[in-house]
Amino acid sequence: MPSALVRRPSPLLEQGLVSHIERQPVDYELARRQWNSYVATLATAGWDLVEVPAAPDYPDSVFIEDTLVVAGDTAAVTRPGAPERRGETVDAAATVDALGYRLAMVAAPATLDGGDVLKIGTRMYVGVGGRTTRSACRQLAEIFDTEVVEVPVTKVLHLKSAVTALPDGTVIGYPPLVDNPGAFDSFLPVPEEAGSHVVVLDPESVLLAASAPRTAALLRDRGLNVQVVDISEYEKLEGCVTCLSVRLRDR
Ligand code: CIR
């Protein structure tokens, strides 16, 4: 059974960082319920959930994806681009260490957010221009002994705020927010910003935000099983479905 790391939201959630959108009030109780539904959806889809100890002092700690990049038996512990998020990596690293992963630390002065790393097969597309530096790309290529393709990201927070990949490797994105669709072997435009973000649950199924109903219809027309979750309170902080978990798939 595949497993996924998740981390409960901090009571300081509403103080989370906002870079590209206007700040809006966050309803913490609703955010907690939405997190429970997100986790339940993963569990129902057959994922084993591993909770990283909560980090109540870190408003953005629920966005666990940014702390680690995991492939095969190796976990790269990131050095987040926002200095106020760097302490989030400590317990995330300890958790994957306890699970038996080989740890590799992204070294200063490079910075890397997991949300900038899109893995397709053995290739890693890495968004550069926001939280992640080119020297972090070079470190990732070495740590994972793999091909790293640098992609510009200027319009949104992370590469995976702009694009993610369907189970067959097709990259999807909302064109106004994608810097360079030509960087990918195959690109499918979707009609909504939130439709750009899927978590692949299994070869036939994806998880998608409730705020992207037209994209849900489009993906169902392609034959995919689409599981929908409402993550409105996280979207107010530029979070999306991918950033609420770290999927441990291929060990
Ligand atoms: C931040 O600015 O760091 C958080 N408010 C949002 C992080 C979202 N992470 C992700 O998409 N991987």
Side-chain angles (χ1 to χ4, degrees), residues 17 60 63 65-66 85 115 131 157-158 237-240 243:
L17 297 171
D60 281 310
F63 303 118
E65 178 183 53
D66 293 320
R85 296 197 58 191
R131 298 268 176 90
L157 180 62
H158 289 130
L237 298 165
E238 292 177 281
C240 46
C243 54

Side-chain angles (χ1 to χ4, degrees), residues 88-236:
E88 294 176 27
T89 60
V90 177
D91 281 349
T95 303
V96 279
D97 189 27
L99 292 173
Y101 283 84
R102 179 178 79 89
L103 297 194
M105 314 301 284
V106 171
T111 62
L112 173 72
D113 278 16
D116 275 320
V117 181
L118 174 64
K119 290 175 284 175
I120 302 182
T122 57
R123 184 182 287 168
M124 290 184 180
Y125 292 93
V126 182
V128 174
R131 298 268 176 90
T132 295
T133 60
R134 296 191 69 195
S135 62
C137 296
R138 290 191 287 274
Q139 291 186 39
L140 276 185
E142 201 161 301
I143 289 168
F144 291 102
D145 189 21
T146 197
E147 181 189 4
V148 169
V149 179
E150 294 177 25
V151 184
V153 175
T154 61
K155 301 174 181 177
V156 284
L157 180 62
H158 289 130
L159 176 63
K160 281 188 287 189
S161 316
V163 293
T164 56
L166 298 178
D168 68 2
T170 302
V171 172
I172 59 169
Y174 177 58
L177 299 180
V178 182
D179 282 275
N180 183 10
F184 309 104
D185 292 343
S186 60
F187 179 78
L188 174 71
V190 296
E192 296 144 318
E193 176 177 359
S196 312
H197 321 130
V198 291
V199 169
V200 173
L201 295 171
D202 63 47
E204 281 90 40
S205 312
V206 294
L207 186 153
L208 182 74
S211 51
R214 290 190 291 147
T215 306
L218 183 148
L219 298 181
R220 287 185 178 120
D221 279 351
R222 282 177 68 99
L224 285 166
N225 166 26
V226 180
Q227 298 292 323
V228 170
V229 286
D230 188 354
I231 55 159
S232 63
E233 301 317 288
Y234 302 103
E235 289 171 335
K236 291 174 180 173

